Every structure is written in structure tokens, then in C-alpha cells.
Amino acid sequence: MTDNLADRVRHWIAQDPDPDARKELQQLLDALPGTEAELTDRFSGPLTFGTAGLRGPLRAGPNGMNLAVVRQAAAGLVNWLTKHEPGGLLVIGYDARRGSHEFAQETARVATGAGMRAALMPRPLPTPVLAYAVRAMDAVAGVMVTASHNPPQDNGYKVYLGEHLGGPLGAGAQIVPPADREIEAEIRDVKLLSQVPLGHPGTVLDDEIVTSYLAAAAAVVQDDQPKDLAVAYTPLHGVGGRVLGDAFLRAGFPVPAAVPAQAEPDGAFPTVSFPNPEEPGAMDLVLALAAERRADIAIANDPDADRCAVAVPAPNGNGNGWRMLRGDEVGVLLADHLMRLGRTGTYATTIVSSSLLRAMCAKRGFGYAETLTGFKWLSRAAPDLVYGYEEALGICVAPGMVRDKDGITAALLVAELAAGLKAELRTLSDRLDDLANEFGLHVTDQLSVRVDDLAEIERMMTHLRAKLPGSLLDEPVTSTEDLLDRPGELNADVVILRTETARVVVRPSGTEPKLKAYLEVVEPVSEGDVAAARERAAATVRALRTEVAAALGIWSVSP
């Protein structure tokens, strides 16, 4: 086994264009057999296109993000593009993670070497700016080098298609089947990296594309609405800070007060253990700043600024009296705001998000669509899509501008809503209470199980399917859906259980080694007492977590 592994390592070293990566692998090779486990992992298989394109740890070898893997991926992508649209424009963006700029330049050289035109963004910028550029520049495709909110040791590679290849619903959206499988096949057909033709490093765009994005972003909010709002903000060491500040200023809002230690891009993410606003502790510094400044709200973007997290003052909340809103709460608040503004069309969310949006659309007469998890599906939910959100803080408020999640425009719309409420001496929490009184209190939570061995996820899903619960919370399960039974692209590893007042959706994560169970309970509000309903719902959700854990074969769960 070791001899065969060593041969594969030597073959890869001979093709790898990065001298540092070659040295890294040679050192591991020289240390065999003690490094066999490490090399086996690195050569266990290539990174494949998944929910977020390529994503993996920064390390040498085929099962990592490195210059060789990026050259191969770019060559496969470009081969596929030139078969469909020869000579087209490829727009390439990148964030501030380690290797992002180099990976972007390598992609451009591969594109120009194949006769395509390549344009690089002028600097590290948010993912939504790249998605906007694909549409604005009528590009055949776009590449964004980012690992979004993954740990600092990771990087990744997202692919977007223009209207020529993505169609009207996929113009500027992430790739979906069959394009992802076809591109994957082209990547596997690239055998010799030394034979991939390389051209010049493309054209570097000037800041006009950013100015254009900012003008479109500012137009998402209304000029004649209140703008008095104090916001505490963090980009979490990512690339959103400057763009968000400029967007707020252009839209007429005061520039948010940014957390100094997290304001500048830094791919090491030194102040957070996990640069995801949903992770415990990630919002601590911005909540402290919000309390110090007596801000009206706190906002965080993830490192590539395609997600938007919001926190509000709450006497019983964590972090000096602040509470982070769940993604479903932000999602329905903005949907409600757009509905009140009379924005007609289809409002969309995913199968794991709260059922409240469905209830709102049904009662108010708006179109509603529900998709599989991920914005690659949400962006294609309907021709008249006006708004889409997913519970993981991804929000699209202007599909005609960015047909993907956009944490900058979402933050602007949150600010517009909060400023308008402030002028009425009300808050986002008050508006959530309004919705609870009108539709019942919809409370969502998540049971997330991180694993070291992906086989554990399969074991838990098998355990659930083998013994589906007949009741939850002492209510009979009224319906069970197993999406593995669906045909074609609708097929997914998802199980959905419903009772009269609760819903559970169980699925493996598409981007992390996790199994996720999405929990929802609906609690009626009696005589306007939302606080009492929240207490009852909190206890009910805790009980539901325990029952779902048992159904998965897990006998202890953290709160």
C-alpha cells in the first residue's frame, strides 16, 4: 500500500506548479511510513463540486485547496465554458483568505490561455459584488475564490453562470445540475497540469464595478424613509467592512460603528475561533460595542459578506442584554417589510426554514415557493421572485440585482426597517410580536451534530429511517416525507416529520461535517401575551430536541 501511495505522491509532485507545495509533499514522502495516514488522507480522492463548489483545507495534494487543484478546476471549468460559449468573459473575484488572490490570478491565466477574456475584481471584495458583476458585465460565468465562513485553514471556489448558460432564472446564480456534474467531469479529464495552456493574468477592473454595485445597493431602500439609526457592526475580519460602510453612507444612513479589532480583512481571523456569526462567541465583540455605544441594532456579516446577522437589545438576552435574532426571524421580518411596501411577486424560502413565511403569503395573497436547501435553488424559485431567504442568515432582497444571498443589501433593508420603527418609538422585537399575534408564535431551533467520521452521519440517518417516530411531543406524526424517494434533481438526503404543531427536518450539512435537525414549534398567543407564549415554546423546543436526538440514536445533547 505504501509503495502505491508513494508512486501517486511522486506523480503529483511532478505535476504540481507550486514549489512550496512540492516541498511540503516531498517532506511527507521522505517521512514515510510515519506519515502514511496523512498522505492517505491527502490522496484519498479529489475535492469535488458540492453545495458550495470546491471547498477544503489549504494543503498540498488532490484532497486540498492549492494551486495545482485550482489549475485543474479552472481548466475543467474553462473547457466546459468554451464548448458552450467560446471567447466569453469570465469575471473572477476573491476574498482576503490565504491564497485567494493567487488562486484568482491562476484562474485568469487558465482562462486567457484557452482564448477566453478574463477580468479580475480590483481588490478583495464580497461575494455579492462578484455575483452582481456577472450580471452587470454580461459575463458568461464568474468565479469567486472564498470559503465563506469556514475556518481559517480552508479556502474554496464558487462558480456562477451568466444568462447565456444559466438562463433567465440562473443569470448570475450559482451552478446547479447538470452543469456541476458536467464541469466535474471536465475537471477529471485534465490529466497533465503541465499541458494546461496559460495566458496573461487578465484585466484588473477598476473600482467602477464597485461604484455600480453600491449605487444599485443603495436603491434597495427608499430615499424618503427615516434614516436615524445607530448601528454597531462587524465584518468578522472579512471583506465586507468598507463596502457596507460605503453602502450605508450612499443610502443616507450614518456609517455603522465597526469593531476595531475585526474591521480590517485578515484571513487568520485572530479574534474568533470560527468566523461564522451563528457560532457561539463570534458576535461577542460587536455586542459589547453595541452596548457601549447604546446602538439600536447590531449587524454582522460573515467573512465574504453574503450573510447578514442581526442582534437587538433584550433585557433577558446574552451579551450585555443583547439577543441575536435567528435567521428565520430576520427572514420573516424583511419579508413582512417588503409586503407592507407592496412588493408583489413570489416570496421563497427553503424546506428547513420556518413555515411562517408560507402562512404570511397565504393570508396576504402573495406568491410562495419552497425549495431544497441552498441559494442555487432559491435563486431559481420563480420567474417573479421578489425575495428569498434561508435560515442560515442568507437573504436575497433584490433578485434583479444579485441573484444570490447578499449580506450588504440585506443589512440596508434591516436598517430601513429598524429606522422606520424607531421613528414610531418601536423596535424589531415589537414587530416580531406583531407577527406572533397575527400568525401564532413560530419558534425554530437546531440540533447540530458535528462528526469526525462522515460515516456517523450515515449511521444516524439510517437509524432514523429504520425506526421513524410515530409521535412527537405526545402528538401523532401526521406526515412523513423522505426526499430520497423523489425523482431526479429533487432527490435529497432529507427526512421531514410533521405533527399538528411541530415540524422536524433532518439532513446532512452540504458544507460541513455535520448532521442537522431543524426544529419548529407553533405556539398560539393568548390575549396578546407573547412573553408567556415564548416561555411555553422554549420548553416545548427543549423537549423536541431531546426526542429528536433519541430518534437519531444520540443519547445526550448539548443545549
Side-chain angles (χ1 to χ4, degrees), residues 114-330:
M116 293 189 71
R117 292 173 291 138
L120 268 73
M121 301 301 279
R123 50 188 165 89
L125 286 164
T127 293
V129 180
L130 181 278
Y132 170 81
V134 172
R135 293 172 67 99
M137 299 179 67
D138 194 27
V140 66
V143 165
M144 181 67 193
V145 183
T146 180
S148 188
H149 55 272
N150 272 39
Q153 63 267 24
D154 288 357
N155 213 326
Y157 200 85
K158 285 185 181 180
V159 177
Y160 295 78
L161 294 181
E163 185 171 5
H164 296 287
L165 296 180
L169 295 186
Q174 297 177 46
I175 55 172
V176 293
D180 55 355
R181 292 194 299 266
E182 293 171 0
I183 293 169
E184 178 75 18
E186 291 285 353
I187 292 171
R188 299 301 148 236
D189 281 344
V190 179
K191 304 300 183 186
L192 296 176
L193 296 181
S194 58
Q195 294 182 5
V196 174
L198 301 177
H200 61 85
T203 301
V204 177
L205 299 171
D206 59 29
D207 250 33
E208 183 179 342
I209 188 63
V210 184
T211 302
S212 176
Y213 169 85
L214 289 170
V220 166
V221 298
Q222 302 172 96
D223 291 335
D224 58 353
Q225 294 299 301
K227 297 293 194 298
D228 177 25
L229 191 73
V231 178
Y233 169 71
T234 178
L236 284 180
H237 300 292
V239 294
R242 178 175 164 187
V243 174
L244 182 132
D246 289 346
F248 268 60
L249 190 63
R250 183 179 283 259
F253 293 100
V255 175
V259 175
Q262 298 174 334
E264 294 302 318
D266 187 340
F269 306 106
T271 68
V272 289
S273 57
F274 205 114
N276 180 350
E278 293 182 293
E279 292 289 330
M283 296 275 287
D284 285 357
L285 291 182
V286 74
L287 295 185
L289 179 65
E292 176 190 329
R293 296 292 186 96
R294 298 184 181 275
D296 297 306
I297 60 173
I299 291 176
N301 288 134
D302 67 337
D304 70 328
D306 63 353
R307 299 171 194 255
C308 176
V310 181
V312 296
N316 297 320
N318 295 320
N320 297 318
W322 283 73
R323 179 177 81 87
M324 182 173 169
L325 299 182
R326 300 194 69 85
D328 281 313
E329 291 178 306
V330 180

Side-chain angles (χ1 to χ4, degrees), residues 411-485:
L412 285 173
L413 203 65
V414 168
E416 180 180 65
L417 172 58
L421 289 168
K422 180 181 179 181
E424 301 170 359
L425 302 180
R426 304 185 77 235
T427 66
L428 295 179
S429 296
D430 294 330
R431 181 53 55 80
L432 285 171
D433 287 352
D434 294 343
L435 291 171
N437 276 300
E438 185 176 357
F439 297 99
L441 181 65
H442 290 62
V443 173
T444 57
D445 199 0
Q446 191 179 123
L447 170 62
S448 182
V449 185
R450 185 178 290 273
V451 300
D452 295 323
D453 182 359
L454 293 178
E456 277 296 296
I457 292 177
E458 184 178 350
R459 183 199 64 76
M460 287 185 280
M461 293 299 293
T462 300
H463 188 280
L464 175 65
R465 288 186 167 102
K467 197 173 182 179
L468 291 168
S471 66
L472 292 168
L473 302 171
D474 295 324
E475 291 184 342
V477 172
T478 55
S479 71
T480 302
E481 287 182 79
D482 190 337
L483 302 194
L484 277 182
D485 297 332

